[in-house]
């Protein structure tokens, strides 16, 4: 093991000269020239050049091959790159992920993007954020809520969590290849023997250290996953705690699992070293086979590239980020749902205590929500038709604080009209 680590570290030192920093220096003549034209234009002003990362783009005139032809491409003709995002903003990183998926020609280039976010809860494309977390509590604690473009369940990101996105042609999509590559990197670097579950999670000693999701399109696809390295488990648990209400929804629900950090089994694990180890495992592994190509294969790859995700290098990425950060995407895409909670009101027949339990006047408050906007508020009593509640909250954005404000207002109601509506 020590020899393998030494070999990898020596390779890292020799490869530092291959790192490309995608920033915007002011003194380079090539950058001055680039500032006068579109970064993806060739010298003749056409759009047939490569991207600043050296990859072809799908609008660069490259021929799109059939699925069968892509599968025939030998591994030695497929180059690999490791992109390390220099942003810790979840919306910027989701935009970069989407930009690569939309624009890069991955026919002969596969990419591994490694990224780390500030504290964030990220839900799947088809999920209900209010059924996965307490959105109001997140806002009070300064934790972002993001919706990604892939399916899957809710996850918590923080600086102790490493995110990995594998990009490839749809024809070359292989989730188990990617996950096994990660377990190989952990074993090579730290001797950690992690396994794949039936749900394609990575588990260690029976506990989950990585979730997984994918976006499958044409011609490109990506598969991304998390790795819990030294995440704050108290914050993780609190951030994924839901409000104590009944939610009825057709949205995709997360499957809770016990979790473990890598540092729980090996205290020497740190996120930057692991990032490097995973990057090198990716570069030294052929495109379709889980074999070790060693230094010879590694030195034929494009290597590590530090990515500064700005419009200068990824035209339109700011607009993508704006869309990912928008209320319409994060909340407005939520499938229709209803929220209910049992309350006791002060409304009762003359002489009855309002606090008796159980009380025949216990009722449920129900709020119907569409596109994250309150559609209807009603009271539900046993053996009664729902009683509509007239409120200026209808049409306004839903959140947990708003719902509890409605229930508290109805708890305090003690009017003749309420008694009449309830048949008292």
């Amino acid at each position: 093991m020590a020899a393998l680590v030494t070999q990898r570290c020596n390779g890292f030192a020799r490869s530092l000269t291959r790192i490309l920093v995608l920033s915007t220096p002011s003194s380079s003549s090539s950058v001055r020239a680039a500032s006068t034209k579109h970064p993806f234009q060739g010298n003749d002003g056409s759009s047939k050049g490569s991207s600043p990362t050296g990859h072809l783009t799908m609008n660069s005139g490259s021929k799109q091959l059939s699925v069968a032809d892509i599968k025939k491409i030998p591994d030695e003709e497929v180059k690999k790159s490791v992109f390390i995002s220099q942003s810790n903003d979840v919306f910027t990183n989701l935009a970069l992920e989407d930009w690569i998926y939309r624009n890069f020609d991955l026919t002969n280039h596969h990419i591994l993007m490694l990224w780390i976010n500030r504290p964030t809860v990220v839900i799947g494309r088809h999920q209900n954020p209010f059924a996965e977390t307490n959105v109001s509590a997140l806002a009070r604690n300064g934790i972002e809520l993001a919706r990604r473009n892939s399916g899957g369940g809710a996850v918590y990101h923080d600086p102790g969590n490493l995110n990995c996105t594998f990009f490839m042609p749809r024809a070359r999509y292989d989730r188990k290849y990617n996950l096994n590559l990660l377990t190989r990197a952990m074993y090579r670097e730290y001797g950690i023997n992690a396994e794949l579950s039936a749900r394609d999670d990575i588990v260690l000693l029976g506990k989950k250290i990585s979730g997984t999701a994918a976006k499958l399109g044409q011609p490109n696809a990506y598969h991304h996953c998390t790795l819990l390295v030294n995440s704050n488990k108290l914050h993780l648990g609190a951030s994924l705690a839901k409000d104590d209400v009944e939610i009825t929804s057709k949205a995709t629900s997360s499957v809770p699992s016990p979790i473990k950090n890598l540092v729980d089994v090996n205290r020497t694990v740190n996120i930057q070293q692991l990032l490097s180890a995973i990057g090198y495992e990716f570069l030294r592994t052929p495109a379709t086979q889980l074999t070790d190509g060693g230094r010879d294969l590694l030195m034929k790859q494009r290597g590590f590239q530090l990515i500064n995700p700005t419009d200068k290098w990824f035209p339109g990425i700011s607009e993508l980020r704006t869309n990912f950060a928008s209320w319409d995407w994060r909340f407005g895409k939520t499938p229709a749902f209803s929220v209910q909670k049992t309350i006791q009101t002060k409304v009762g027949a003359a002489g009855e205590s309002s606090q008796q339990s159980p009380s025949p006047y216990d009722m449920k408050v129900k709020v119907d929500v569409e596109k994250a906007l309150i559609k209807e508020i009603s009271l539900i009593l046993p053996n009664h038709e729902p009683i509509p509640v007239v409120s200026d909250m209808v049409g306004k954005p839903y959140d947990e604080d708003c719902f509890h404000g409605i229930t508290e207002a109805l708890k305090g109601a003690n009017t003749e009209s309420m008694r009449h509506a309830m048949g008292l």
Side-chain angles (χ1 to χ4, degrees):
M1 179 63 65
L4 289 173
V5 172
T6 302
Q7 180 183 6
R8 191 194 62 76
C9 291
N10 290 339
F12 177 73
R14 286 190 293 270
S15 296
L16 284 175
T17 57
R18 297 167 62 82
I19 293 179
L20 170 65
V21 181
L22 294 187
S23 56
T24 313
S26 59
S27 59
S28 169
S29 60
S30 62
V31 171
R32 286 198 300 270
S35 67
T36 63
K37 63 181 181 180
H38 194 287
F40 288 83
Q41 288 180 337
N43 293 330
D44 60 355
S46 69
S47 59
K48 293 184 179 181
S50 63
S51 74
T53 63
H55 285 68
L56 291 176
T57 55
M58 287 193 288
N59 64 351
S60 61
S62 56
K63 180 181 178 182
Q64 295 298 318
L65 300 180
S66 68
V67 170
D69 287 339
I70 290 175
K71 289 184 176 180
K72 291 177 183 177
I73 297 174
D75 281 0
E76 56 266 24
E77 293 184 12
V78 178
K79 302 299 181 185
K80 287 186 170 185
S81 296
V82 177
F83 287 0
I84 304 174
S85 174
Q86 299 302 284
S87 174
N88 298 124
D89 172 69
V90 62
F91 305 115
T92 298
N93 284 324
L94 289 173
L96 175 60
E97 192 178 58
D98 197 47
W99 199 102
I100 295 170
Y101 166 76
R102 291 168 179 256
N103 292 283
F104 273 7
D105 182 350
L106 301 171
T107 305
N108 294 90
H109 283 105
H110 295 182
I111 298 170
L112 170 60
M113 173 180 158
L114 300 172
W115 43 299
I116 300 168
N117 290 324
R118 292 187 289 270
T120 310
V121 170
V122 184
I123 63 171
R125 179 185 179 96
H126 306 294
Q127 289 199 292
N128 179 342
F130 306 102
E132 302 300 329
T133 182
N134 187 315
V135 174
S136 297
L138 291 186
R140 285 193 293 272
N141 293 326
I143 298 174
E144 297 284 7
L145 186 284
R147 184 188 296 273
R148 61 181 181 269
N149 218 350
S150 63
V155 292
Y156 174 76
H157 293 179
D158 69 7
N161 179 87
L162 178 63
N163 301 288
C164 311
T165 307
F166 297 86
F167 296 90
M168 72 293 293
R170 171 69 180 272
R172 283 283 176 88
Y173 176 79
D174 187 344
R175 181 180 296 200
K176 291 189 183 298
Y177 168 94
N178 301 331
L179 296 173
N180 277 301
L181 190 146
L182 296 179
T183 62
R184 286 162 62 94
M186 287 184 279
Y187 184 78
R188 185 189 301 275
E189 187 72 11
Y190 297 108
I192 294 175
N193 193 12
E195 301 175 329
L196 304 190
S197 73
R199 296 178 51 84
D200 283 342
D201 295 325
I202 301 178
V203 296
L204 182 59
L205 300 177
K207 294 188 177 180
K208 183 174 173 179
I209 60 171
S210 176
T212 191
K215 177 73 172 177
L216 305 179
Q218 285 294 349
N220 292 340
Y222 64 77
H223 165 224
H224 51 194
C225 55
T226 59
L227 271 176
L228 291 170
V229 181
N230 191 22
S231 191
N232 188 316
K233 287 191 282 189
L234 290 177
H235 291 173
L236 184 155
S239 296
L240 294 177
K242 296 168 281 189
D243 196 22
D244 184 21
V245 296
E246 302 172 45
I247 294 182
T248 303
S249 173
K250 293 182 179 180
T252 302
S253 297
S254 298
V255 179
S257 302
I259 58 144
K260 184 180 287 292
N261 276 316
L262 289 175
V263 295
D264 294 338
V265 296
N266 187 330
R267 296 182 63 85
T268 67
V269 179
N270 71 79
I271 203 161
Q272 291 302 325
Q273 185 179 356
L274 179 64
L275 180 152
S276 176
I278 290 172
Y280 272 102
E281 194 69 30
F282 179 74
L283 294 175
R284 67 190 293 160
T285 305
T288 62
Q289 304 173 62
L290 285 166
T291 58
D292 187 3
R295 182 176 179 276
D296 288 342
L297 179 59
L298 189 153
M299 297 307 293
K300 294 176 182 178
Q301 309 289 18
R302 291 184 176 271
F304 289 76
Q305 298 179 302
L306 304 182
I307 303 297
N308 185 8
T310 64
D311 279 318
K312 176 70 178 179
W313 301 107
F314 303 93
I317 195 172
S318 292
E319 183 178 354
L320 288 175
R321 185 203 177 278
T322 298
N323 290 337
F324 276 110
S326 69
W327 186 93
D328 285 344
W329 171 255
R330 294 188 297 150
F331 302 105
K333 292 292 184 182
T334 302
F337 66 99
S338 64
V339 187
Q340 296 184 85
K341 186 169 186 176
T342 300
I343 64 171
Q344 289 183 336
T345 72
K346 296 179 181 178
V347 179
E352 280 195 13
S353 168
S354 63
Q355 300 301 318
Q356 289 177 345
S357 181
S359 166
Y361 306 112
D362 285 356
M363 64 179 68
K364 286 187 176 182
V365 179
K366 181 183 179 185
V367 176
D368 295 313
V369 185
E370 283 190 5
K371 298 181 179 180
L373 300 175
I374 296 174
K375 180 184 180 183
E376 186 176 7
I377 304 171
S378 55
L379 295 174
I380 300 176
L381 286 80
N383 304 316
H384 284 71
E385 291 294 322
I387 303 169
V389 175
V390 178
S391 170
D392 59 4
M393 297 304 297
V394 173
K396 294 185 178 180
Y398 172 86
D399 65 25
E400 295 86 356
D401 288 351
C402 175
F403 180 80
H404 289 297
I406 293 170
T407 59
E408 288 301 316
L410 290 173
K411 281 182 184 179
N414 191 13
T415 64
E416 290 300 323
S417 59
M418 283 281 287
R419 289 193 180 93
H420 178 73
M422 296 166 61
L424 300 177

